[in-house]
Amino acid sequence: MLVAGATVISVSVPDCSVLDVGSKVLGSDRSSWVTGHGYLPRFPRGSITGLWEHHAVVRLPEGVQGPRLGSAVAVVPDHICTPVNLAGELLVVRHREVIDRWQGMARGAPT
């Protein structure tokens, strides 16, 4: 599973957080059976309802505790083509430990 790392940069609205990750990392493609623009493993009831190039808005049901300002959040993109194409390096992680690094061999290459 591909997971992108993000940081919470705003929690100024109740039940809403803004992340420093957007369509450049998560990709904007979304299948019809998916809600939102990514899955948050630590916040499974959350939904990415807004997506811009460099930011994402996460909405949580009323009363559900969300991530704190400045905290790191893992996001599983709905579609991995864009993030893999734009990343120069992918980190392979197991149990929060980097076990390998994969270089993006075809990054930006026309097909």
Side-chain angles (χ1 to χ4, degrees):
M1 161 176 32
L2 179 87
V3 177
T7 302
V8 178
I9 59 171
S10 176
V11 292
S12 60
V13 176
D15 306 318
C16 182
S17 302
V18 178
L19 307 178
D20 69 346
V21 64
S23 63
K24 294 282 189 182
V25 173
L26 300 178
S28 58
D29 295 342
R30 185 170 57 137
S31 299
S32 60
W33 64 85
V34 177
T35 59
H37 295 277
Y39 174 69
L40 297 106
R42 289 191 47 219
F43 303 94
R45 295 182 62 198
S47 179
I48 297 177
T49 59
L51 190 66
W52 292 267
E53 283 190 1
H54 302 287
H55 299 98
V57 173
V58 176
R59 297 263 181 204
L60 291 154
E62 188 175 334
V64 173
Q65 181 68 36
R68 292 189 192 144
L69 181 64
S71 64
V73 177
V75 182
V76 178
D78 291 336
H79 190 89
I80 66 166
C81 289
T82 299
V84 168
N85 182 53
L86 292 176
E89 180 179 57
L90 300 172
L91 303 178
V92 182
V93 177
R94 181 180 296 140
H95 306 294
R96 298 183 184 206
E97 180 183 339
V98 176
I99 61 170
D100 201 358
R101 295 173 181 269
W102 296 348
Q103 296 302 311
M105 301 301 289
R107 182 176 182 202
T111 57

XYZ file of all heavy atoms in Angstrom:
828
model
N 0.846 -1.157 0.000
C 0.000 0.000 0.000
C 0.900 1.232 0.000
O 1.843 1.326 0.768
C -0.897 -0.043 1.238
C -1.493 1.252 1.607
S -2.662 1.277 3.000
C -2.135 0.032 4.104
N 0.613 2.168 -0.872
C 1.337 3.427 -0.930
C 0.722 4.390 0.073
O -0.487 4.553 0.117
C 1.247 4.034 -2.331
C 1.961 5.369 -2.470
C 3.417 5.140 -2.816
C 1.302 6.224 -3.509
N 1.551 5.000 0.894
C 1.078 5.959 1.895
C 1.891 7.235 1.748
O 3.112 7.191 1.664
C 1.238 5.403 3.328
C 0.817 6.428 4.354
C 0.444 4.126 3.498
N 1.186 8.354 1.706
C 1.847 9.658 1.660
C 1.843 10.255 3.057
O 0.876 10.108 3.799
C 1.107 10.576 0.695
N 2.916 10.932 3.395
C 2.988 11.611 4.680
C 2.539 13.053 4.535
O 2.865 13.711 3.557
N 1.757 13.535 5.493
C 1.273 14.913 5.471
C 1.389 15.499 6.868
O 1.485 14.772 7.853
C -0.177 14.952 5.005
N 1.347 16.820 6.942
C 1.355 17.531 8.213
C 0.088 18.368 8.304
O -0.320 18.995 7.316
C 2.589 18.453 8.320
O 3.769 17.657 8.179
C 2.623 19.174 9.651
N -0.528 18.396 9.476
C -1.716 19.208 9.702
C -1.266 20.660 9.852
O -0.473 20.978 10.738
C -2.480 18.748 10.966
C -3.685 19.635 11.212
C -2.887 17.292 10.830
N -1.758 21.538 8.959
C -1.335 22.942 8.997
C -2.433 23.878 9.490
O -2.174 25.065 9.713
C -0.809 23.400 7.626
C -1.868 23.254 6.545
C 0.459 22.639 7.274
C -1.483 23.895 5.217
N -3.654 23.371 9.673
C -4.728 24.206 10.212
C -5.798 23.324 10.836
O -6.146 22.279 10.287
C -5.353 25.074 9.121
O -6.445 25.811 9.645
N -6.304 23.788 11.966
C -7.459 23.146 12.629
C -8.399 24.246 13.123
O -9.046 24.111 14.142
C -7.020 22.229 13.799
C -6.282 21.017 13.295
C -6.181 22.990 14.810
N -8.476 25.335 12.382
C -9.220 26.514 12.823
C -10.736 26.363 12.738
O -11.462 27.171 13.295
C -8.773 27.745 12.035
O -9.003 27.549 10.656
N -11.216 25.352 12.050
C -12.654 25.109 11.936
C -12.961 23.785 12.631
O -12.260 22.791 12.403
C -13.078 25.040 10.445
C -14.544 24.691 10.301
C -12.762 26.345 9.733
N -13.992 23.740 13.485
C -14.326 22.479 14.167
C -14.582 21.340 13.173
O -15.163 21.556 12.112
C -15.607 22.820 14.933
C -15.592 24.303 15.070
C -14.884 24.837 13.851
N -14.110 20.149 13.522
C -14.302 18.933 12.718
C -13.676 19.035 11.329
O -14.094 18.361 10.403
C -15.791 18.586 12.605
C -16.460 18.474 13.952
O -15.848 17.886 14.875
O -17.580 18.976 14.116
N -12.661 19.886 11.193
C -12.029 20.088 9.894
C -10.533 20.342 10.100
O -10.141 21.049 11.020
C -12.680 21.286 9.204
S -12.060 21.628 7.568
N -9.716 19.749 9.245
C -8.270 19.955 9.280
C -7.794 20.231 7.863
O -8.380 19.754 6.896
C -7.550 18.705 9.790
O -7.995 18.336 11.055
N -6.712 20.969 7.752
C -6.083 21.195 6.451
C -4.709 20.551 6.501
O -3.950 20.734 7.459
C -5.960 22.701 6.126
C -5.263 22.902 4.788
C -7.337 23.359 6.106
N -4.392 19.784 5.465
C -3.113 19.091 5.355
C -2.243 19.760 4.301
O -2.761 20.335 3.336
C -3.323 17.620 4.971
C -4.273 16.801 5.824
C -4.385 15.382 5.255
C -3.825 16.777 7.267
N -0.931 19.626 4.441
C 0.000 20.199 3.468
C 0.297 19.242 2.323
O 1.395 19.183 1.795
C 1.299 20.627 4.154
C 2.127 19.445 4.651
O 1.591 18.310 4.709
O 3.295 19.649 4.997
N -0.696 18.510 1.914
C -0.578 17.571 0.802
C -1.813 17.760 -0.080
O -2.909 17.972 0.420
C -0.455 16.116 1.327
C -1.696 15.681 2.053
C -0.130 15.150 0.229
N -1.614 17.748 -1.388
C -2.742 17.971 -2.292
C -2.675 17.080 -3.509
O -2.089 15.994 -3.474
N -3.241 17.554 -4.610
C -3.328 16.736 -5.820
C -1.961 16.426 -6.419
O -1.805 15.434 -7.129
C -4.208 17.421 -6.865
O -3.641 18.657 -7.269
N -0.956 17.245 -6.127
C 0.392 16.956 -6.630
C 0.949 15.675 -6.011
O 1.784 15.012 -6.601
C 1.348 18.109 -6.322
C 1.022 19.380 -7.032
C 1.465 19.318 -8.461
C 1.328 20.688 -9.093
N 1.699 20.685 -10.482
N 0.500 15.343 -4.815
C 0.962 14.134 -4.132
C -0.102 13.044 -4.176
O 0.197 11.891 -4.462
C 1.353 14.439 -2.671
C 1.669 13.172 -1.906
C 2.538 15.387 -2.639
N -1.342 13.387 -3.905
C -2.403 12.375 -3.829
C -3.002 12.032 -5.180
O -3.608 10.985 -5.334
C -3.519 12.862 -2.901
C -3.106 13.149 -1.462
C -4.294 13.675 -0.679
C -2.525 11.916 -0.816
N -2.853 12.910 -6.163
C -3.508 12.715 -7.448
C -4.964 13.127 -7.328
O -5.557 13.080 -6.254
N -5.546 13.557 -8.426
C -6.937 14.007 -8.385
C -7.910 12.959 -8.920
O -9.119 13.147 -8.845
C -7.090 15.311 -9.166
O -6.661 15.127 -10.499
N -7.393 11.859 -9.475
C -8.265 10.791 -9.976
C -9.013 10.153 -8.821
O -8.460 9.949 -7.744
C -7.454 9.699 -10.677
C -6.765 10.202 -11.931
O -7.187 11.261 -12.435
O -5.821 9.551 -12.385
N -10.281 9.834 -9.065
C -11.076 9.205 -8.020
C -12.068 8.271 -8.687
O -12.802 8.672 -9.577
C -11.782 10.263 -7.194
C -12.523 9.697 -6.024
C -13.008 10.789 -5.112
N -13.851 11.724 -5.838
C -14.987 12.223 -5.362
N -15.393 11.906 -4.175
N -15.682 13.065 -6.069
N -12.105 7.041 -8.247
C -13.070 6.069 -8.771
C -14.462 6.400 -8.258
O -14.623 6.992 -7.191
C -12.683 4.655 -8.344
O -11.410 4.337 -8.851
N -15.468 5.988 -8.988
C -16.853 6.309 -8.641
C -17.303 5.678 -7.327
O -18.199 6.186 -6.672
C -17.794 5.887 -9.768
O -17.693 4.485 -9.977
N -16.684 4.585 -6.923
C -17.098 3.908 -5.686
C -16.369 4.436 -4.441
O -16.604 3.993 -3.332
C -16.901 2.402 -5.792
C -15.462 1.997 -5.955
C -14.546 1.795 -4.962
C -14.762 1.768 -7.171
N -13.328 1.467 -5.478
C -13.436 1.435 -6.847
C -15.120 1.813 -8.511
C -12.477 1.159 -7.810
C -14.165 1.534 -9.458
C -12.873 1.205 -9.107
N -15.488 5.409 -4.615
C -14.703 5.951 -3.515
C -15.258 7.317 -3.104
O -15.609 8.125 -3.947
C -13.226 6.109 -3.944
C -12.399 6.732 -2.847
C -12.649 4.777 -4.361
N -15.323 7.540 -1.797
C -15.683 8.876 -1.327
C -14.420 9.560 -0.851
O -13.541 8.938 -0.263
C -16.694 8.808 -0.156
O -16.121 8.056 0.907
C -17.997 8.177 -0.595
N -14.291 10.823 -1.142
C -13.109 11.562 -0.745
C -11.953 11.350 -1.701
O -12.087 10.733 -2.745
N -10.809 11.877 -1.316
C -9.613 11.837 -2.170
C -8.455 11.118 -1.505
O -7.301 11.413 -1.792
C -9.197 13.263 -2.539
C -10.187 13.975 -3.378
N -10.267 13.832 -4.745
C -11.180 14.827 -3.038
C -11.239 14.565 -5.212
N -11.813 15.193 -4.195
N -8.753 10.205 -0.616
C -7.717 9.451 0.068
C -8.267 8.891 1.367
O -9.300 9.335 1.870
N -7.570 7.916 1.883
C -7.978 7.245 3.122
C -6.970 7.570 4.214
O -5.761 7.531 3.980
C -8.041 5.733 2.885
C -8.310 4.931 4.120
C -9.556 4.979 4.746
C -7.325 4.124 4.674
C -9.809 4.239 5.896
C -7.573 3.376 5.816
C -8.815 3.440 6.417
O -9.062 2.717 7.560
N -7.463 7.905 5.389
C -6.612 8.228 6.531
C -6.685 7.069 7.527
O -7.661 6.953 8.266
C -7.084 9.529 7.186
C -6.969 10.733 6.257
C -8.332 11.143 5.760
C -6.272 11.845 6.957
N -5.684 6.185 7.537
C -5.742 4.990 8.397
C -5.983 5.288 9.879
O -6.720 4.562 10.539
C -4.372 4.331 8.198
C -3.914 4.809 6.867
C -4.465 6.198 6.728
N -5.415 6.350 10.427
C -5.620 6.668 11.846
C -6.928 7.401 12.099
O -7.342 7.559 13.248
C -4.455 7.508 12.375
C -3.184 6.676 12.500
C -2.071 7.371 13.248
N -2.504 7.986 14.479
C -2.065 9.170 14.910
N -1.200 9.854 14.191
N -2.494 9.670 16.042
N -7.579 7.862 11.036
C -8.845 8.585 11.136
C -9.814 8.037 10.083
O -10.186 8.740 9.140
C -8.616 10.090 10.951
C -7.636 10.650 11.935
C -6.296 10.755 11.611
C -8.049 11.023 13.199
C -5.378 11.254 12.525
C -7.142 11.517 14.130
C -5.804 11.627 13.791
N -10.217 6.768 10.213
C -11.004 6.116 9.169
C -12.375 6.744 8.921
O -12.953 6.544 7.851
C -11.141 4.674 9.662
C -10.893 4.738 11.128
C -9.946 5.879 11.337
N -12.886 7.515 9.854
C -14.171 8.179 9.643
C -14.009 9.542 8.980
O -14.982 10.208 8.655
C -14.911 8.304 10.967
C -15.279 6.916 11.517
C -16.055 6.970 12.784
N -17.326 7.658 12.600
C -18.044 8.148 13.599
N -17.615 8.031 14.842
N -19.179 8.754 13.364
N -12.768 9.934 8.754
C -12.493 11.202 8.090
C -12.604 11.058 6.583
O -12.480 9.969 6.032
N -12.850 12.172 5.919
C -12.956 12.172 4.464
C -12.260 13.412 3.926
O -12.441 14.516 4.442
C -14.427 12.182 4.041
O -14.543 12.201 2.639
N -11.447 13.227 2.899
C -10.810 14.369 2.251
C -11.826 14.929 1.274
O -12.083 14.358 0.220
C -9.496 13.976 1.551
C -8.497 13.467 2.590
C -8.924 15.164 0.782
C -7.191 12.971 2.022
N -12.431 16.048 1.660
C -13.529 16.627 0.890
C -13.088 17.723 -0.065
O -13.834 18.075 -0.970
C -14.604 17.200 1.832
O -13.997 18.200 2.656
C -15.211 16.108 2.693
N -11.920 18.272 0.153
C -11.399 19.309 -0.730
C -9.957 19.011 -1.080
O -9.188 18.574 -0.232
N -9.598 19.230 -2.337
C -8.248 18.916 -2.791
C -7.792 19.985 -3.770
O -8.464 20.265 -4.763
C -8.242 17.539 -3.468
C -6.895 16.938 -3.807
C -6.107 16.612 -2.549
C -7.085 15.669 -4.633
N -6.673 20.608 -3.455
C -6.035 21.576 -4.331
C -4.637 21.075 -4.621
O -4.248 20.021 -4.145
C -6.004 22.947 -3.648
C -7.384 23.506 -3.516
C -8.031 24.352 -4.383
C -8.329 23.229 -2.482
N -9.301 24.610 -3.934
C -9.517 23.938 -2.775
C -8.305 22.445 -1.326
C -10.637 23.889 -1.959
C -9.421 22.400 -0.519
C -10.569 23.124 -0.841
N -3.849 21.801 -5.384
C -2.521 21.314 -5.751
C -1.660 20.958 -4.547
O -0.959 19.960 -4.560
C -1.790 22.344 -6.615
C -2.270 22.365 -8.040
C -1.380 23.205 -8.929
O -0.369 23.764 -8.459
O -1.697 23.303 -10.121
N -1.686 21.785 -3.503
C -0.773 21.578 -2.379
C -1.461 21.418 -1.027
O -0.779 21.363 -0.005
C 0.224 22.744 -2.300
C 1.012 22.919 -3.560
N 2.015 22.050 -3.926
C 0.925 23.827 -4.557
C 2.525 22.427 -5.087
N 1.882 23.505 -5.492
N -2.788 21.375 -1.011
C -3.521 21.273 0.252
C -4.723 20.353 0.120
O -5.279 20.201 -0.963
C -4.000 22.659 0.711
C -2.878 23.598 0.947
N -2.481 24.516 0.001
C -2.044 23.752 2.002
C -1.453 25.199 0.472
N -1.159 24.758 1.674
N -5.107 19.772 1.259
C -6.298 18.923 1.317
C -7.080 19.274 2.578
O -6.492 19.561 3.622
C -5.901 17.443 1.353
N -8.402 19.252 2.463
C -9.275 19.499 3.608
C -9.863 18.173 4.050
O -10.444 17.435 3.248
C -10.405 20.487 3.242
C -11.405 20.610 4.389
C -9.823 21.842 2.894
N -9.695 17.880 5.335
C -10.231 16.648 5.928
C -11.422 17.028 6.803
O -11.307 17.887 7.676
C -9.166 15.933 6.791
C -9.765 14.712 7.477
C -7.965 15.552 5.944
N -12.549 16.383 6.560
C -13.739 16.569 7.392
C -13.953 15.306 8.207
O -13.796 14.194 7.708
C -14.976 16.815 6.539
C -14.912 18.064 5.736
C -15.630 19.161 6.442
N -15.562 20.362 5.629
C -15.677 21.557 6.113
N -15.871 21.729 7.393
N -15.596 22.604 5.338
N -14.310 15.511 9.468
C -14.621 14.409 10.375
C -16.053 14.573 10.869
O -16.546 15.696 10.955
C -13.663 14.411 11.563
C -12.232 14.038 11.203
C -11.263 14.648 12.175
C -12.093 12.538 11.178
N -16.727 13.465 11.189
C -18.071 13.593 11.747
C -18.034 14.425 13.026
O -17.037 14.423 13.756
C -18.477 12.151 12.047
C -17.618 11.310 11.178
C -16.319 12.070 11.038
N -19.110 15.136 13.284
C -19.185 15.983 14.470
C -18.841 15.195 15.722
O -19.310 14.084 15.931
C -20.593 16.563 14.603
C -20.708 17.591 15.698
C -22.082 18.233 15.728
O -22.743 18.273 14.685
O -22.471 18.680 16.811
N -17.971 15.766 16.522
C -17.589 15.151 17.787
C -16.451 14.154 17.703
O -15.952 13.693 18.718
N -16.005 13.802 16.500
C -14.894 12.859 16.344
C -13.587 13.633 16.445
O -13.389 14.636 15.755
C -14.974 12.107 14.992
C -13.732 11.270 14.772
C -16.217 11.246 14.940
N -12.714 13.183 17.319
C -11.424 13.843 17.522
C -10.554 13.696 16.286
O -10.333 12.593 15.797
C -10.704 13.234 18.734
C -9.373 13.862 19.050
C -9.508 15.295 19.550
O -10.445 15.621 20.263
N -8.586 16.137 19.171
N -10.046 14.802 15.785
C -9.181 14.791 14.612
C -7.731 14.966 14.988
O -7.381 15.048 16.169
N -6.873 15.041 14.006
C -5.449 15.220 14.274
C -5.160 16.621 14.815
O -5.895 17.571 14.550
C -4.798 15.013 12.905
C -5.867 15.343 11.922
C -7.163 14.969 12.579
N -4.101 16.738 15.578
C -3.701 18.021 16.159
C -2.870 18.833 15.171
O -2.208 18.264 14.295
C -2.860 17.793 17.407
C -3.619 17.207 18.533
C -2.742 17.240 19.771
N -3.348 16.422 20.806
C -2.680 15.691 21.652
N -1.376 15.665 21.603
N -3.304 14.984 22.553
N -2.860 20.124 15.361
C -2.049 21.025 14.559
C -0.577 20.601 14.653
O -0.067 20.356 15.739
C -2.208 22.459 15.067
C -1.441 23.541 14.307
C -1.954 23.649 12.877
C -1.575 24.871 15.014
N 0.070 20.481 13.509
C 1.476 20.102 13.468
C 1.740 18.614 13.475
O 2.880 18.187 13.302
N 0.705 17.810 13.670
C 0.927 16.364 13.725
C 1.082 15.770 12.325
O 0.603 16.313 11.335
C -0.208 15.660 14.477
O -1.438 15.811 13.798
N 1.780 14.655 12.267
C 1.969 13.921 11.018
C 0.790 12.990 10.811
O 0.314 12.355 11.750
C 3.266 13.126 11.061
N 0.321 12.920 9.558
C -0.837 12.098 9.215
C -0.489 11.279 7.973
O 0.061 11.812 7.006
C -2.073 12.976 8.920
C -3.254 12.142 8.502
C -2.433 13.824 10.125
N -0.813 10.003 7.998
C -0.634 9.143 6.821
C -1.899 9.200 5.972
O -3.010 9.170 6.498
C -0.371 7.708 7.253
N -1.711 9.294 4.652
C -2.836 9.326 3.719
C -2.571 8.300 2.625
O -1.505 8.299 2.010
C -3.010 10.716 3.071
C -4.227 10.719 2.151
C -3.126 11.806 4.118
N -3.543 7.434 2.386
C -3.454 6.456 1.296
C -4.177 7.064 0.095
O -5.386 7.293 0.147
C -4.120 5.115 1.678
C -4.047 4.138 0.523
C -3.477 4.536 2.927
N -3.447 7.379 -0.986
C -4.092 7.967 -2.166
C -5.078 6.996 -2.812
O -4.894 5.770 -2.751
C -2.933 8.238 -3.119
C -1.703 8.191 -2.280
C -2.004 7.251 -1.157
N -6.114 7.549 -3.444
C -7.082 6.718 -4.163
C -6.471 6.100 -5.416
O -6.876 5.033 -5.855
C -8.304 7.550 -4.576
C -9.137 7.963 -3.386
O -9.079 7.293 -2.340
O -9.855 8.973 -3.508
N -5.528 6.784 -5.996
C -4.917 6.358 -7.261
C -3.428 6.704 -7.177
O -3.085 7.828 -6.830
C -5.590 7.120 -8.414
C -5.241 6.617 -9.761
N -5.950 5.622 -10.389
C -4.254 6.965 -10.602
C -5.420 5.386 -11.576
N -4.389 6.192 -11.732
N -2.538 5.777 -7.501
C -1.119 6.015 -7.234
C -0.285 6.497 -8.420
O 0.877 6.827 -8.244
C -0.446 4.761 -6.635
C -0.400 3.614 -7.636
C -1.119 4.352 -5.358
C 0.532 2.501 -7.222
N -0.844 6.581 -9.605
C -0.027 6.971 -10.763
C 0.641 8.332 -10.595
O 1.836 8.471 -10.830
C -0.870 6.971 -12.033
S -1.318 5.309 -12.578
N -0.119 9.342 -10.197
C 0.461 10.680 -10.048
C 1.518 10.735 -8.961
O 2.629 11.219 -9.205
C -0.645 11.724 -9.792
O -1.516 11.729 -10.914
C -0.062 13.099 -9.586
N 1.232 10.242 -7.750
C 2.288 10.333 -6.737
C 3.547 9.558 -7.099
O 4.655 10.032 -6.839
C 1.635 9.777 -5.468
C 0.339 9.204 -5.850
C -0.004 9.742 -7.198
N 3.410 8.416 -7.725
C 4.600 7.639 -8.096
C 5.374 8.361 -9.191
O 6.600 8.427 -9.165
C 4.209 6.203 -8.522
C 5.376 5.492 -9.180
C 3.721 5.415 -7.322
N 4.673 8.969 -10.149
C 5.343 9.688 -11.224
C 6.079 10.921 -10.710
O 7.144 11.268 -11.201
C 4.330 10.108 -12.289
C 4.990 10.815 -13.453
O 5.930 10.311 -14.044
N 4.507 11.999 -13.749
N 5.521 11.606 -9.721
C 6.117 12.846 -9.239
C 7.196 12.649 -8.178
O 7.959 13.565 -7.899
C 5.028 13.769 -8.700
C 4.077 14.334 -9.755
C 2.987 15.161 -9.089
C 4.830 15.170 -10.780
N 7.253 11.478 -7.579
C 8.231 11.245 -6.514
C 9.558 10.784 -7.101
O 9.610 9.877 -7.920
C 7.703 10.189 -5.541
N 10.623 11.417 -6.658
C 11.945 10.986 -7.088
C 12.408 9.754 -6.346
O 13.256 9.003 -6.816
N 11.823 9.546 -5.175
C 12.196 8.404 -4.348
C 10.991 7.973 -3.521
O 10.246 8.797 -3.007
C 13.337 8.805 -3.413
C 13.813 7.709 -2.499
C 14.955 8.164 -1.616
O 14.783 9.158 -0.869
O 16.000 7.522 -1.662
N 10.795 6.672 -3.408
C 9.754 6.105 -2.553
C 10.429 5.375 -1.402
O 11.399 4.641 -1.617
C 8.870 5.128 -3.333
C 8.127 5.714 -4.534
C 7.444 4.603 -5.322
C 7.112 6.744 -4.093
N 9.949 5.586 -0.204
C 10.488 4.892 0.959
C 9.631 3.676 1.254
O 8.413 3.776 1.319
C 10.490 5.815 2.180
C 11.250 7.125 2.037
C 11.125 7.941 3.317
C 12.699 6.887 1.690
N 10.264 2.551 1.439
C 9.573 1.323 1.804
C 9.638 1.216 3.326
O 10.724 1.196 3.905
C 10.212 0.087 1.140
C 9.447 -1.173 1.505
C 10.271 0.268 -0.377
N 8.474 1.186 3.962
C 8.403 1.241 5.415
C 7.669 0.012 5.947
O 6.643 -0.397 5.404
C 7.663 2.518 5.873
C 7.516 2.564 7.382
C 8.376 3.755 5.355
N 8.204 -0.553 7.012
C 7.540 -1.656 7.710
C 7.590 -1.326 9.195
O 8.670 -1.062 9.729
C 8.228 -2.984 7.432
C 7.530 -4.151 8.145
C 8.197 -5.497 7.894
N 8.109 -5.838 6.491
C 9.097 -6.401 5.799
N 10.247 -6.684 6.372
N 8.939 -6.704 4.531
N 6.434 -1.329 9.818
C 6.353 -1.022 11.250
C 7.058 0.293 11.576
O 7.855 0.379 12.512
C 6.915 -2.160 12.093
C 6.288 -3.476 11.803
N 4.962 -3.735 12.068
C 6.796 -4.604 11.248
C 4.688 -4.978 11.703
N 5.782 -5.521 11.197
N 6.803 1.311 10.758
C 7.339 2.669 10.945
C 8.854 2.765 10.796
O 9.481 3.727 11.208
C 6.900 3.256 12.276
C 5.411 3.393 12.388
C 5.035 4.028 13.677
N 3.583 4.055 13.782
C 2.921 4.920 14.492
N 3.571 5.833 15.176
N 1.616 4.877 14.550
N 9.463 1.771 10.219
C 10.908 1.791 9.989
C 11.177 1.703 8.490
O 10.629 0.840 7.799
C 11.570 0.603 10.697
C 13.064 0.554 10.503
C 13.700 -0.665 11.156
O 13.085 -1.244 12.060
O 14.813 -1.023 10.743
N 12.014 2.608 7.977
C 12.388 2.582 6.562
C 13.289 1.379 6.333
O 14.351 1.270 6.945
C 13.101 3.881 6.143
C 13.565 3.797 4.701
C 12.192 5.081 6.355
N 12.837 0.467 5.454
C 13.621 -0.740 5.190
C 14.247 -0.747 3.798
O 15.104 -1.571 3.505
C 12.780 -2.021 5.402
C 11.583 -2.057 4.453
C 12.356 -2.140 6.863
C 10.854 -3.388 4.429
N 13.798 0.182 2.932
C 14.373 0.247 1.593
C 13.995 1.588 0.965
O 13.088 2.264 1.432
C 13.850 -0.902 0.723
C 14.746 -1.205 -0.469
O 15.766 -0.497 -0.659
O 14.424 -2.126 -1.225
N 14.699 1.954 -0.081
C 14.410 3.170 -0.851
C 14.378 2.777 -2.318
O 15.295 2.111 -2.796
C 15.481 4.230 -0.620
C 15.516 4.738 0.793
C 16.722 5.663 1.004
N 16.785 6.130 2.365
C 16.218 7.245 2.808
N 15.569 8.011 1.959
N 16.318 7.594 4.060
N 13.317 3.186 -3.011
C 13.184 2.892 -4.432
C 13.309 4.195 -5.204
O 12.581 5.154 -4.952
C 11.839 2.257 -4.736
C 11.606 0.919 -4.105
C 12.514 0.105 -3.489
C 10.359 0.241 -4.011
N 11.915 -1.033 -3.030
C 10.575 -0.984 -3.341
C 9.074 0.531 -4.424
C 9.574 -1.902 -3.084
C 8.063 -0.385 -4.183
C 8.319 -1.589 -3.518
N 14.215 4.233 -6.158
C 14.378 5.409 -6.997
C 13.321 5.408 -8.092
O 12.983 4.358 -8.638
C 15.777 5.415 -7.622
C 16.897 5.534 -6.614
C 16.778 6.801 -5.774
O 16.589 7.895 -6.284
N 16.853 6.625 -4.465
N 12.801 6.579 -8.409
C 11.813 6.723 -9.486
C 12.495 6.704 -10.844
O 12.938 7.737 -11.326
N 12.624 5.553 -11.435
C 13.393 5.380 -12.668
C 12.746 6.036 -13.888
O 13.440 6.452 -14.810
C 13.613 3.888 -12.958
C 14.356 3.164 -11.826
S 15.981 3.841 -11.478
C 16.854 3.301 -12.918
N 11.426 6.108 -13.941
C 10.753 6.643 -15.127
C 10.099 7.992 -14.835
O 9.208 8.417 -15.536
C 9.707 5.647 -15.620
N 10.547 8.660 -13.803
C 9.944 9.914 -13.401
C 9.921 10.929 -14.543
O 10.946 11.282 -15.095
C 10.711 10.495 -12.214
C 10.109 11.770 -11.724
C 10.828 12.270 -10.502
N 10.167 13.482 -10.061
C 10.732 14.389 -9.328
N 11.974 14.225 -8.938
N 10.098 15.447 -8.982
N 8.706 11.360 -14.878
C 8.545 12.380 -15.917
C 8.848 11.914 -17.328
O 8.871 12.703 -18.249
N 9.099 10.606 -17.520
C 9.446 10.087 -18.840
C 8.182 9.915 -19.684
O 7.190 9.388 -19.200
C 10.170 8.748 -18.719
N 8.200 10.385 -20.945
C 7.030 10.165 -21.799
C 6.899 8.670 -22.117
O 7.893 7.959 -22.230
C 7.330 10.969 -23.053
C 8.804 11.185 -23.051
C 9.255 11.104 -21.612
N 5.668 8.229 -22.216
C 5.437 6.812 -22.517
C 4.849 6.635 -23.888
O 4.343 7.535 -24.480
C 4.499 6.172 -21.488
O 3.284 6.902 -21.461
C 5.129 6.164 -20.118
